[in-house]
Amino acid sequence: MTATLTLTARLNTAALDARRGVVRLHPEAIAALGIREWDAVTLTGARATAAVVGVAGAGTPVGTALLDDVTLSNAGLREDTAVVVTPASVAGARSVTVTGSKLATGSVSPATLRQALLGKVMTVGDTVSLLPRDLGPGTSTSAASSALARAVGITWTSELLTVAAVDPAGPVSVQPNSLVHWGDGSSTAPQDLHHPAAESQHPKVSFDDLKGSHAQASKLTEWLKLALDEPELLETLGATANLGVLVSGPAGVGKATLVRTVCQSRGLVELDGPEVGALAAQDRLAAVTAATARVRSGGGVLLITDVDALLPVSADRPPEPVASLILGELRAAIATRGVAFVATSAMPDALDPRLRAPDVCDRELGLSLPDADIRRQLLEVLLRAVPTRDLDLTEIAGRTPGFVVADLASLVREAALRAAARASADGRAPMLSQEDLTGALSVIRPLSRSATEEVSVGAVTLADVGDMVATKQALTEAVLWPLQHPDTFTRLGVDPPRGVLLYGPPGCGKTFVVRALASTGRLSVHAVKGAELMDKWVGSSEKSVRELFRRARDSAPSLVFLDEIDALAPRRGQSFDSGVTDRVVAALLTELDGIDPLRDVVVLGATNRPDLIDPALLRPGRLEKLVFVEPPDAQARLDILRTAGKSVPLCEDVDLDTLAGQLDGYSAADCVALLREAALTAMRRSIEAADVTAADVEQARRTVRPSLDPAQVESLREFSARR
């Protein structure tokens, strides 16, 4: 059930938050909503709007929500009125259309507009300012402010825009590859789309600073040298000197930075794919034509970033007619002696397949997510000029699986904000400490992890799980040993288990122990519930399975967690869904033991109905290791009650040892729910209650009944014995 709070709306007078789309809440209110700082919430007054959440300053009452004047207006609120706050499900915007003053519309390019709105959450009808959010992770930098000041003048901070349309519908956040454009028909002239001045906004990066990408940079350097500097060598051997390269990899991994670094000594003409893609069809073609004419006249490299925004394709949206003309322009440029073409994309599967034709992009470079050692090296580069104190970057690198260089830059920036606030308060020289980086980890989430694969991995490790001794040992051997000691398996001449099936009664801690396992092994976790991958469109579900495993390979060592796997891979031939589940099972089997091997990737499935899973999935080489999670016994229930009771003020008359012995049939979730209900019973007894008595616990037992079915538990034990 979605958490909901009704709070009192107050005007936020802090200049730092003015018109930036941030609502400030008390930490207890954020915890009650089940969200973290910089997550999004829906604010409902006379109308509904959305905003990102920041922690309110000391002294702010728990029941108060601090909103800036624009957000108050968007929600249809007045000061000191009630506002309903709920967690919001926000999608990354494919496109956002805004309208605004003639001053801003005529002078602000779509690229600058996108940079100003980066990280903001909005719905249709909202009013937004050009002030960059500039708070929290993944937000814009001072480059947007400088560009807006040059384009609009001193009045740019007071300009307001109206959100006319968003795609997809609902609350969206503006992302680096979102199409953001004006809705009044104005567009930037094609000849102005290449901004020489904008190139200075990209800091120069040395070849040595491309940590983890040296091999790809060397390969691209070699290709460019042969195609542009020594074409006669290729022609002598009967090959053309044409060069088109597609550089793919997760968002924020540094694809464009790599190309800019390699091409520093060459003429580089750069087009922003989302910016050009936001134009009308004829302007799109004119922009590409102008760029290709420029590179053909002077020679060099044409770079199109996020080319999937310029040449998209999907099952429900075939290529536009203008795409053929754009590809024709690119072919003509590539065929010109002394010209090379490089495109980058974080979504190569959503790209017009004609771009990969032999006469366009005949070569491809892939960048993967950095491992722990590369992340440490990247942090060293990012912190090279920063005053620091007693940093352990190895620890931070180990706690950031799935982070790309853009995420690490956001992490460093968040830590710098914390260090600067501390220095401002105590008057000392700013020094970035380990505590600043550790605190930033609670806020920053990796761009490379989508909403369907994110799992909450906290500080709880397997050592902190008091019971489940046999389960913990089995998971350590099957999951952690292959990832942490692969040399031992090689030395002994055996292959490690490919996958594990975790099964047991509902509420007994299967998902909890997976979180602890991931935290212990510092793994990148790719999690999905079985039903989330199912789609009625032919091929869509199988594509989702392939994409899930591709991300896991890119971020190895990693764990693929398939919760409720019985819904994803039921017995074949028994469904009535046009064969979707059968094809998904086949896709899973192919990924587990197909031609493309799973290196440093372990698959873990969880279910309370193992009898429903297709038997082929449980054979050796697939989910071959079966681990049964026993219901908690009296000692385990005592450990659970003690852990859950740490935050509950229990009276001395509450005997947890005796209580644990009386809770036969209660799962781990039931034990936690019992104490929660006991606390609510105490509140019903007296809203001023300061502790929970034994009578409260006894009353709660009449409400919270044991959920474990003895017949189901016995059936699961028999399944374990048969295996």
Side-chain angles (χ1 to χ4, degrees):
M1 182 177 179
T2 303
T4 301
L5 293 179
T6 301
L7 307 175
T8 300
R10 297 278 171 82
L11 178 64
N12 187 353
T13 58
L16 184 66
D17 291 345
R19 296 185 169 189
R20 297 187 190 270
V22 178
V23 55
R24 297 282 181 179
L25 302 180
H26 192 280
E28 292 185 12
I30 294 176
L33 290 169
I35 59 176
R36 297 189 293 182
E37 188 178 18
W38 309 121
D39 281 351
V41 293
T42 298
L43 306 169
T44 305
R47 67 179 295 268
T49 187
V52 292
V53 169
V55 175
T60 302
V62 177
T64 296
L66 299 178
L67 289 73
D68 60 60
D69 57 341
V70 171
T71 308
L72 272 172
S73 176
N74 287 338
L77 293 166
R78 298 189 305 275
E79 195 171 6
D80 295 325
T81 56
V83 56
V84 178
V85 184
T86 56
S89 177
V90 176
R94 286 193 289 267
S95 69
V96 174
T97 305
V98 296
T99 58
S101 70
K102 292 298 181 183
L103 177 65
T105 303
S107 54
V108 178
S109 71
T112 301
L113 182 62
R114 182 176 69 247
Q115 198 173 18
L117 300 181
L118 193 67
K120 288 189 176 182
V121 177
M122 57 193 68
T123 58
V124 173
D126 279 354
T127 297
V128 294
S129 73
L130 283 172
L131 284 164
R133 197 183 96 189
D134 212 30
L135 299 167
T139 55
S140 58
T141 64
S142 59
S145 301
S146 301
L148 288 163
R150 289 194 303 269
V152 183
I154 60 175
T155 64
W156 75 270
T157 58
S158 60
E159 295 291 335
L160 294 177
L161 313 175
T162 300
V163 181
V166 297
D167 181 26
V172 298
S173 64
V174 177
Q175 303 294 310
N177 61 347
S178 299
L179 304 178
V180 182
H181 53 98
W182 299 103
D184 55 5
S186 66
S187 62
T188 305
Q191 62 268 25
D192 295 333
L193 284 170
H194 178 71
H195 307 283
E199 293 182 357
S200 62
Q201 297 177 5
H202 302 300
K204 290 188 179 298
V205 177
S206 68
F207 188 91
D208 187 58
D209 289 343
L210 297 174
K211 305 300 183 182
S213 303
H214 287 165
Q216 293 88 340
S218 298
K219 181 62 69 175
L220 182 59
T221 301
E222 175 188 327
W223 290 344
L224 289 172
K225 179 182 178 182
L226 289 172
L228 302 183
D229 302 336
E230 301 172 340
E232 63 279 356
L233 294 179
L234 292 171
E235 292 167 353
T236 300
L237 296 171
T240 62
N242 300 346
L243 179 62
V245 182
L246 175 63
V247 182
S248 60
V253 80
K255 301 180 292 297
T257 299
L258 180 146
V259 179
R260 296 186 190 113
T261 300
V262 170
C263 298
Q264 281 180 5
S265 60
R266 302 182 183 276
L268 181 65
V269 176
E270 182 173 341
L271 281 181
D272 182 83
E275 179 180 350
V276 180
L279 302 175
Q282 65 272 19
D283 292 335
R284 219 177 307 163
L285 177 60
V288 175
T289 301
T292 54
R294 179 177 175 180
V295 74
R296 291 169 71 180
S297 64
V301 180
L302 172 63
L303 168 62
I304 301 181
T305 58
D306 293 311
V307 69
D308 48 89
L310 176 62
L311 295 168
V313 70
S314 62
D316 56 345
R317 185 175 63 177
E320 297 182 55
V322 72
S324 300
L325 301 177
I326 291 175
L327 287 167
E329 286 292 331
L330 295 178
R331 286 192 187 93
I334 295 169
T336 303
R337 193 180 183 91
V339 172
F341 169 60
V342 182
T344 69
S345 175
M347 297 184 291
D349 291 340
L351 186 60
D352 192 323
R354 293 176 294 177
L355 190 76
R356 289 187 170 94
D359 56 349
V360 187
C361 286
D362 60 336
R363 307 181 196 189
E364 188 165 348
L365 285 175
L367 300 184
S368 60
L369 294 176
D371 58 21
D373 184 57
I374 298 300
R375 292 195 296 271
R376 177 187 57 78
Q377 297 178 42
L378 290 169
L379 285 169
E380 290 174 350
V381 172
L382 292 169
L383 294 168
R384 190 160 47 201
V386 177
T388 61
R389 181 180 66 248
D390 302 328
L391 294 186
D392 183 359
L393 296 183
T394 300
E395 179 195 352
I396 301 299
R399 295 179 61 181
T400 51
F403 277 56
V404 294
V405 63
D407 302 320
L408 296 175
S410 294
L411 181 73
V412 169
R413 184 175 181 278
E414 176 69 19
L417 288 173
R418 294 168 182 261
R422 185 178 62 253
S424 176
D426 59 24
R428 298 180 181 178
M431 294 282 287
L432 194 144
S433 67
Q434 184 79 1
E435 290 72 22
D436 297 322
L437 287 170
T438 303
L441 282 172
S442 64
V443 175
I444 305 299
R445 294 182 180 182
L447 290 169
S448 57
R449 193 170 296 165
S450 66
T452 58
E453 59 176 320
E454 182 167 345
V455 75
S456 176
V457 180
V460 177
T461 65
L462 286 178
D464 300 318
V465 181
D467 56 336
M468 301 186 183
V469 177
T471 300
K472 290 191 296 182
Q473 182 61 30
L475 289 176
T476 298
E477 295 175 2
V479 177
L480 297 185
W481 283 4
L483 299 178
Q484 295 175 344
H485 309 288
D487 53 328
T488 302
F489 285 89
T490 302
R491 187 170 59 251
L492 295 177
V494 295
D495 293 327
R498 185 69 52 82
V500 181
L501 178 66
L502 195 66
Y503 66 101
C508 289
K510 295 186 291 296
T511 304
F512 174 75
V513 77
V514 170
R515 292 195 182 104
L517 178 72
S519 181
T520 301
R522 302 286 172 85
L523 306 176
S524 176
V525 182
H526 301 261
V528 66
K529 289 185 181 295
E532 291 176 352
L533 287 180
M534 308 305 292
D535 195 303
K536 65 178 181 179
W537 301 108
V538 175
S540 181
S541 299
E542 303 92 291
K543 180 181 178 181
S544 298
V545 172
R546 292 194 301 270
E547 181 66 18
L548 175 66
F549 280 85
R550 184 191 64 78
R551 291 193 299 263
R553 290 186 181 93
D554 286 344
S555 59
S558 60
L559 174 68
V560 175
F561 178 43
L562 303 174
D563 203 3
E564 300 174 8
I565 192 174
D566 51 284
L568 178 65
R571 292 175 179 266
R572 284 173 288 182
Q574 299 182 6
S575 61
F576 301 92
D577 54 6
S578 302
V580 174
T581 54
D582 289 359
R583 294 194 298 271
V584 168
V585 173
L588 271 176
L589 296 176
T590 301
E591 294 294 340
L592 283 169
D593 60 359
I595 296 176
D596 195 3
L598 284 177
R599 294 190 179 92
D600 295 331
V601 177
V602 175
V603 182
L604 196 155
T607 181
N608 52 32
R609 292 296 307 273
D611 53 306
L612 297 183
I613 299 174
D614 191 275
L617 205 61
L618 306 181
R619 292 172 185 165
R622 297 161 183 172
L623 300 185
E624 58 187 82
K625 181 75 172 180
L626 272 64
V627 178
F628 178 49
V629 181
E630 283 276 359
D633 57 16
Q635 182 59 46
R637 293 194 294 269
L638 177 60
D639 292 339
I640 295 166
L641 290 170
R642 284 175 175 168
T643 301
K646 288 180 180 179
S647 59
V648 180
L650 298 173
C651 280
E652 294 183 356
D653 62 348
V654 178
D655 185 351
L656 292 182
D657 292 81
T658 302
L659 179 63
Q662 297 172 347
L663 297 181
D664 191 32
Y666 279 69
S667 68
D670 296 335
C671 294
V672 175
L674 177 64
L675 290 186
R676 183 169 59 247
E677 180 62 27
L680 291 174
T681 302
M683 292 175 64
R684 297 187 192 104
R685 172 170 48 83
S686 172
I687 198 64
E688 304 295 334
D691 49 25
V692 176
T693 66
D696 296 328
V697 175
E698 189 60 33
Q699 179 66 30
R701 286 186 60 186
R702 299 189 181 98
T703 303
V704 180
R705 307 299 301 167
S707 64
L708 294 181
D709 180 4
Q712 182 187 23
V713 173
E714 188 58 34
S715 174
L716 289 170
R717 283 203 183 97
E718 291 177 359
F719 184 85
S720 176
R722 291 195 301 270
R723 303 297 299 186

Short mmCIF file of all heavy atoms in Angstrom, two decimals, residues 116-152:
data_model
loop_
_atom_site.label_atom_id
_atom_site.label_comp_id
_atom_site.label_asym_id
_atom_site.label_seq_id
_atom_site.Cartn_x
_atom_site.Cartn_y
_atom_site.Cartn_z
N ALA A 116 19.14 23.35 -18.42
CA ALA A 116 18.53 24.11 -17.34
C ALA A 116 17.48 23.28 -16.59
O ALA A 116 17.31 23.43 -15.38
CB ALA A 116 17.89 25.38 -17.89
N LEU A 117 16.77 22.42 -17.31
CA LEU A 117 15.69 21.63 -16.71
C LEU A 117 16.15 20.27 -16.23
O LEU A 117 15.35 19.50 -15.69
CB LEU A 117 14.56 21.44 -17.73
CG LEU A 117 13.89 22.72 -18.25
CD1 LEU A 117 12.77 22.37 -19.23
CD2 LEU A 117 13.35 23.57 -17.11
N LEU A 118 17.43 19.95 -16.39
CA LEU A 118 17.95 18.62 -16.05
C LEU A 118 17.66 18.27 -14.60
O LEU A 118 17.94 19.05 -13.68
CB LEU A 118 19.45 18.58 -16.30
CG LEU A 118 20.11 17.20 -16.30
CD1 LEU A 118 19.62 16.39 -17.49
CD2 LEU A 118 21.63 17.34 -16.35
N GLY A 119 17.06 17.10 -14.37
CA GLY A 119 16.78 16.62 -13.02
C GLY A 119 15.47 17.10 -12.45
O GLY A 119 15.04 16.60 -11.40
N LYS A 120 14.81 18.06 -13.10
CA LYS A 120 13.54 18.54 -12.58
C LYS A 120 12.43 17.54 -12.90
O LYS A 120 12.45 16.89 -13.94
CB LYS A 120 13.19 19.91 -13.17
CG LYS A 120 14.06 21.04 -12.63
CD LYS A 120 13.54 22.39 -13.08
CE LYS A 120 14.36 23.52 -12.47
NZ LYS A 120 13.85 24.85 -12.84
N VAL A 121 11.44 17.46 -11.99
CA VAL A 121 10.28 16.59 -12.18
C VAL A 121 9.09 17.47 -12.51
O VAL A 121 8.86 18.50 -11.85
CB VAL A 121 10.01 15.77 -10.90
CG1 VAL A 121 8.75 14.93 -11.06
CG2 VAL A 121 11.20 14.88 -10.59
N MET A 122 8.31 17.08 -13.53
CA MET A 122 7.23 17.96 -13.99
C MET A 122 6.08 17.16 -14.57
O MET A 122 6.24 16.00 -14.98
CB MET A 122 7.77 18.96 -15.02
CG MET A 122 8.42 18.32 -16.24
SD MET A 122 9.36 19.50 -17.23
CE MET A 122 10.71 19.90 -16.10
N THR A 123 4.92 17.80 -14.61
CA THR A 123 3.73 17.25 -15.24
C THR A 123 3.15 18.32 -16.17
O THR A 123 3.50 19.49 -16.09
CB THR A 123 2.67 16.85 -14.20
OG1 THR A 123 2.33 18.01 -13.42
CG2 THR A 123 3.19 15.78 -13.27
N VAL A 124 2.25 17.89 -17.06
CA VAL A 124 1.64 18.84 -18.00
C VAL A 124 0.87 19.90 -17.22
O VAL A 124 0.11 19.60 -16.30
CB VAL A 124 0.70 18.10 -18.97
CG1 VAL A 124 -0.07 19.08 -19.84
CG2 VAL A 124 1.50 17.15 -19.84
N GLY A 125 1.06 21.16 -17.59
CA GLY A 125 0.40 22.27 -16.93
C GLY A 125 1.24 22.94 -15.87
O GLY A 125 0.88 24.02 -15.38
N ASP A 126 2.35 22.33 -15.49
CA ASP A 126 3.23 22.92 -14.47
C ASP A 126 3.91 24.17 -15.01
O ASP A 126 4.18 24.30 -16.21
CB ASP A 126 4.30 21.93 -14.05
CG ASP A 126 3.80 20.93 -13.03
OD1 ASP A 126 2.65 21.07 -12.59
OD2 ASP A 126 4.56 20.00 -12.68
N THR A 127 4.22 25.06 -14.12
CA THR A 127 5.09 26.19 -14.40
C THR A 127 6.48 25.85 -13.88
O THR A 127 6.62 25.35 -12.75
CB THR A 127 4.58 27.47 -13.72
OG1 THR A 127 3.30 27.81 -14.25
CG2 THR A 127 5.53 28.63 -13.96
N VAL A 128 7.50 26.05 -14.70
CA VAL A 128 8.88 25.78 -14.28
C VAL A 128 9.73 26.99 -14.61
O VAL A 128 9.43 27.76 -15.53
CB VAL A 128 9.46 24.52 -14.98
CG1 VAL A 128 8.72 23.28 -14.55
CG2 VAL A 128 9.41 24.67 -16.50
N SER A 129 10.78 27.16 -13.84
CA SER A 129 11.70 28.26 -14.08
C SER A 129 12.91 27.76 -14.85
O SER A 129 13.15 26.56 -14.98
CB SER A 129 12.15 28.87 -12.75
OG SER A 129 13.06 28.01 -12.10
N LEU A 130 13.69 28.71 -15.36
CA LEU A 130 14.95 28.37 -16.03
C LEU A 130 16.07 28.16 -15.03
O LEU A 130 17.18 27.80 -15.44
CB LEU A 130 15.33 29.47 -17.02
CG LEU A 130 14.56 29.49 -18.34
CD1 LEU A 130 14.90 30.73 -19.14
CD2 LEU A 130 14.85 28.25 -19.16
N LEU A 131 15.79 28.39 -13.74
CA LEU A 131 16.83 28.16 -12.73
C LEU A 131 17.15 26.68 -12.67
O LEU A 131 16.26 25.86 -12.39
CB LEU A 131 16.34 28.64 -11.35
CG LEU A 131 16.35 30.14 -11.12
CD1 LEU A 131 15.48 30.48 -9.90
CD2 LEU A 131 17.77 30.63 -10.89
N PRO A 132 18.40 26.27 -12.93
CA PRO A 132 18.74 24.85 -12.82
C PRO A 132 18.49 24.35 -11.42
O PRO A 132 18.66 25.09 -10.44
CB PRO A 132 20.24 24.82 -13.16
CG PRO A 132 20.49 26.08 -13.92
CD PRO A 132 19.55 27.09 -13.37
N ARG A 133 18.06 23.09 -11.31
CA ARG A 133 17.80 22.54 -9.98
C ARG A 133 19.06 22.63 -9.13
O ARG A 133 19.02 23.05 -7.98
CB ARG A 133 17.35 21.07 -10.11
CG ARG A 133 16.68 20.56 -8.84
CD ARG A 133 16.31 19.09 -8.98
NE ARG A 133 17.31 18.23 -8.40
CZ ARG A 133 17.33 16.91 -8.54
NH1 ARG A 133 16.43 16.34 -9.29
NH2 ARG A 133 18.25 16.19 -7.98
N ASP A 134 20.20 22.23 -9.72
CA ASP A 134 21.51 22.44 -9.11
C ASP A 134 21.60 21.94 -7.68
O ASP A 134 22.38 22.45 -6.88
CB ASP A 134 21.91 23.91 -9.18
CG ASP A 134 23.42 24.07 -9.31
OD1 ASP A 134 24.04 23.18 -9.89
OD2 ASP A 134 23.94 25.08 -8.82
N LEU A 135 20.76 20.99 -7.31
CA LEU A 135 20.78 20.40 -5.98
C LEU A 135 20.65 18.90 -6.14
O LEU A 135 19.90 18.43 -6.98
CB LEU A 135 19.62 20.91 -5.12
CG LEU A 135 19.57 22.42 -4.84
CD1 LEU A 135 18.21 22.79 -4.28
CD2 LEU A 135 20.66 22.82 -3.88
N GLY A 136 21.37 18.14 -5.31
CA GLY A 136 21.25 16.71 -5.35
C GLY A 136 21.99 16.09 -6.51
O GLY A 136 22.71 16.77 -7.25
N PRO A 137 21.84 14.76 -6.69
CA PRO A 137 22.61 14.04 -7.70
C PRO A 137 22.13 14.26 -9.11
O PRO A 137 20.96 14.49 -9.36
CB PRO A 137 22.40 12.57 -7.28
CG PRO A 137 21.05 12.58 -6.63
CD PRO A 137 20.94 13.89 -5.92
N GLY A 138 23.06 14.20 -10.05
CA GLY A 138 22.72 14.20 -11.46
C GLY A 138 22.10 15.48 -11.96
O GLY A 138 21.38 15.49 -12.94
N THR A 139 22.37 16.62 -11.30
CA THR A 139 21.77 17.87 -11.71
C THR A 139 22.76 18.70 -12.50
O THR A 139 23.93 18.38 -12.61
CB THR A 139 21.28 18.66 -10.49
OG1 THR A 139 22.38 18.82 -9.58
CG2 THR A 139 20.19 17.91 -9.77
N SER A 140 22.26 19.81 -13.06
CA SER A 140 23.08 20.60 -13.96
C SER A 140 24.12 21.41 -13.20
O SER A 140 24.07 21.56 -11.98
CB SER A 140 22.21 21.51 -14.81
OG SER A 140 21.44 22.35 -13.99
N THR A 141 25.06 21.94 -13.94
CA THR A 141 26.17 22.67 -13.35
C THR A 141 26.06 24.14 -13.74
O THR A 141 25.11 24.59 -14.35
CB THR A 141 27.50 22.10 -13.86
OG1 THR A 141 27.57 22.32 -15.28
CG2 THR A 141 27.60 20.62 -13.59
N SER A 142 27.10 24.89 -13.38
CA SER A 142 27.09 26.32 -13.66
C SER A 142 27.13 26.60 -15.16
O SER A 142 26.86 27.73 -15.58
CB SER A 142 28.30 26.98 -12.98
OG SER A 142 29.50 26.39 -13.45
N ALA A 143 27.47 25.61 -15.99
CA ALA A 143 27.49 25.82 -17.44
C ALA A 143 26.13 26.26 -17.96
O ALA A 143 26.03 27.11 -18.85
CB ALA A 143 27.95 24.55 -18.15
N ALA A 144 25.05 25.71 -17.40
CA ALA A 144 23.70 26.10 -17.82
C ALA A 144 23.44 27.56 -17.46
O ALA A 144 22.88 28.32 -18.26
CB ALA A 144 22.66 25.19 -17.18
N SER A 145 23.82 27.95 -16.25
CA SER A 145 23.60 29.34 -15.83
C SER A 145 24.36 30.30 -16.73
O SER A 145 23.83 31.35 -17.13
CB SER A 145 24.04 29.51 -14.37
OG SER A 145 23.32 28.65 -13.53
N SER A 146 25.60 29.98 -17.06
CA SER A 146 26.39 30.85 -17.93
C SER A 146 25.76 30.97 -19.31
O SER A 146 25.67 32.07 -19.88
CB SER A 146 27.82 30.30 -18.04
OG SER A 146 28.43 30.21 -16.78
N ALA A 147 25.31 29.85 -19.87
CA ALA A 147 24.70 29.87 -21.20
C ALA A 147 23.41 30.68 -21.20
O ALA A 147 23.12 31.43 -22.14
CB ALA A 147 24.44 28.45 -21.68
N LEU A 148 22.60 30.55 -20.13
CA LEU A 148 21.35 31.28 -20.05
C LEU A 148 21.60 32.78 -19.90
O LEU A 148 20.89 33.61 -20.47
CB LEU A 148 20.51 30.76 -18.88
CG LEU A 148 19.89 29.37 -19.10
CD1 LEU A 148 19.45 28.77 -17.78
CD2 LEU A 148 18.71 29.46 -20.06
N ALA A 149 22.61 33.13 -19.11
CA ALA A 149 22.93 34.55 -18.94
C ALA A 149 23.36 35.17 -20.26
O ALA A 149 23.00 36.31 -20.58
CB ALA A 149 24.03 34.70 -17.88
N ARG A 150 24.13 34.41 -21.07
CA ARG A 150 24.56 34.93 -22.37
C ARG A 150 23.38 35.05 -23.33
O ARG A 150 23.28 36.00 -24.10
CB ARG A 150 25.63 34.01 -22.98
CG ARG A 150 26.98 34.05 -22.28
CD ARG A 150 28.04 33.39 -23.16
NE ARG A 150 27.69 32.02 -23.51
CZ ARG A 150 28.05 30.95 -22.79
NH1 ARG A 150 28.75 31.12 -21.69
NH2 ARG A 150 27.70 29.74 -23.17
N ALA A 151 22.46 34.06 -23.29
CA ALA A 151 21.38 34.02 -24.26
C ALA A 151 20.25 34.99 -23.93
O ALA A 151 19.70 35.64 -24.82
CB ALA A 151 20.82 32.60 -24.36
N VAL A 152 19.87 35.10 -22.66
CA VAL A 152 18.69 35.87 -22.26
C VAL A 152 19.06 37.21 -21.65
O VAL A 152 18.36 38.20 -21.81
CB VAL A 152 17.83 35.05 -21.27
CG1 VAL A 152 16.56 35.81 -20.90
CG2 VAL A 152 17.47 33.71 -21.89
#
